[in-house]
Amino acid sequence: MTNLLLFGLGLQEIVVIALIVLLLFGGKKIPELMKGLGKGVKSFKDGMKEIDTDDKEDKEKSE
């Protein structure tokens, strides 16, 4: 359990993956990719909040 960081990957595996990503996309492209990923996560969270709100409204209407 000492080597488990993320999805069962150790520090060495994460470093290797980060280096491969850096080589594939280059240093200039990575901030753009992270910005897009952040927008996607935010959109997903907003969608989940909307679903929760809709569920609560439906429950209140049925009562």
Side-chain angles (χ1 to χ4, degrees):
M1 184 146 146
T2 58
N3 289 337
L4 297 179
L5 292 177
L6 182 67
F7 301 114
L9 297 176
L11 182 60
Q12 292 175 344
E13 290 88 357
I14 292 174
V15 170
V16 170
I17 292 170
L19 288 174
I20 291 171
V21 169
L22 182 61
L23 289 173
L24 287 175
F25 295 107
K28 294 182 180 179
K29 199 73 169 170
I30 291 177
E32 294 175 21
L33 292 171
M34 293 298 111
K35 184 177 180 181
L37 181 64
K39 286 183 179 180
V41 169
K42 184 177 186 298
S43 154
F44 178 77
K45 286 182 179 180
D46 290 344
M48 293 301 292
K49 286 180 184 176
E50 185 176 315
I51 290 173
D52 288 342
T53 304
D54 290 344
D55 287 344
K56 288 179 183 176
E57 288 176 359
D58 290 341
K59 285 182 182 178
E60 288 174 358
K61 287 180 183 178
S62 65
E63 291 177 356

